[in-house]
Amino acid sequence: MIRLRAGCKVNLGLRVLGRRPDGYHELDSLFWPLRYPRDELRIRLRPGSGITVRCAVPGIDPARNTLTKAHAAFAALAGGAPGFDVELVKRIPSGAGLGGGSSDAAALLLWLNSLLAEPLSPAELTRAALAVGADVPFFLQSRPSRVTGIGEVVEPVAVSAPPLFLVLVCPGIHVSTAEAFARLDELRGGNTPPPPAPCQNNLTNTAGADNGNRLIGAARLDLENDLEGAVFPRHPQLAGLKAEFGRLGALKAGMTGSGSSVFGLFAAEATARSAAARLRGPYPRVYCQALGTAGM
C-alpha cells in the first residue's frame, strides 16, 4: 500500500477584487501551507487502468471528485496512468476554507508524476492541476505564496516575519464557497462592483528580493477577508470565535477562505498553546503550530 499525506492551507487575508464576465472572481490572497489537519490517501495499484475512490465521509461522490478529476487530467497529458484503488481518509473538513480537496488532488498528481520515466514538466503538471481546480497549483509547491487571478497565479514569497504561532479552529460548520461569493456579489449590488484595494499590506516590495515579495511583520499584516461580511451574518458563531481569539491574546485573527475555519496568530508559543487548550473545550478540532513548521 502507498500512503500519501496531504496538508491544507489558510488564507492570511483574502480580497475579492471583482467578478469576471465568466462568473469567476479575481482574488488577492496570501496562502500559507499547514501540515495539520491533513488527509491520507491509501493507494493500491492493480492491473488495468482507471481509478476507484472510497471514502467513509458522506457527501463525496466516488465517481466524480478531485481525485478522479486529477487522474483524468494527468492521463490526458501523460498518455495514460496506472490503475489503482484509493481510500481517502478525510481529516480536513469540507466546507472549512482549508483546500482539502485541492490538496488531495495535488498529492495524487505529484505521485503519478513520480512514476514516469520522463516526468511531466512543472508547466505541464500545472496544466493538469488547473483542470481540477484553481487552488490545486498552489499545493504542487505548498510554499507561502501570494495567489492572484482566480487562484491560479502563484508567486512564492520570502518570509521575513518574526516567529508566529497559529491556532486553527474547525468549528464543524459547512460553508458553501459558491453561496459565500454569491452573497458577497449581492451585498455589493451587482456582478461588477468597484473592487476594493488589493492586499498591499500583506507584502512589501523590495527591489531585487525574490521578485519584491516579502512578508512583513505580524503587527502590520492585513488579514482582511472580504468574505467575512457575507458569511458572518449567516453564521454568527464564526464572528464570535474571531472575537474570542482577541480575548485570548491573538495579535490578529480571521476566517480562512470562505470559512468556516477561523485562526488566530500569536507572538508567543505559550500564549498560543494556552489559547488552544481553552478552545478545545467547546471545539473538537483545534490545531496549534508554528507557521512554516510541523504541527505542535
Side-chain angles (χ1 to χ4, degrees), residues 98 115 135 166 177 250:
L98 299 173
L115 301 180
D135 286 352
L166 180 141
T177 298

Side-chain angles (χ1 to χ4, degrees), residues 180-190 193 226-231 233-234:
F181 277 98
R183 177 57 179 160
L184 180 63
D185 288 340
E186 182 182 328
L187 291 172
R188 288 177 171 179
D226 291 333
L227 290 175
E228 289 181 2
V231 173
R234 297 188 176 189

Side-chain angles (χ1 to χ4, degrees), residues 275-290:
R278 291 281 298 275
L279 291 166
R280 285 191 179 105
Y283 299 102
R285 292 188 175 188
V286 179
Y287 305 87
C288 181
Q289 58 201 69

Side-chain angles (χ1 to χ4, degrees), residues 86-178:
V86 56
E87 178 186 1
L88 174 60
V89 181
K90 284 296 293 178
R91 299 188 181 100
I92 304 171
S94 61
L98 299 173
S102 296
S103 181
D104 296 339
L108 186 63
L109 288 171
L110 290 168
W111 173 71
L112 286 169
N113 206 36
S114 72
L115 301 180
L116 295 181
E118 296 184 10
L120 298 179
S121 69
E124 290 173 318
L125 201 60
T126 297
R127 281 177 55 198
L130 278 173
V132 181
D135 286 352
V136 182
F138 164 75
F139 286 104
L140 294 177
Q141 301 184 51
S142 204
R143 294 175 52 192
S145 301
R146 187 175 189 175
V147 176
T148 53
I150 62 172
E152 83 284 10
V153 182
V154 181
E155 301 175 85
V157 299
V159 179
S160 61
L164 293 174
F165 299 87
L166 180 141
V167 176
L168 177 72
V169 176
C170 304
I173 297 171
H174 185 281
V175 176
S176 165
T177 298

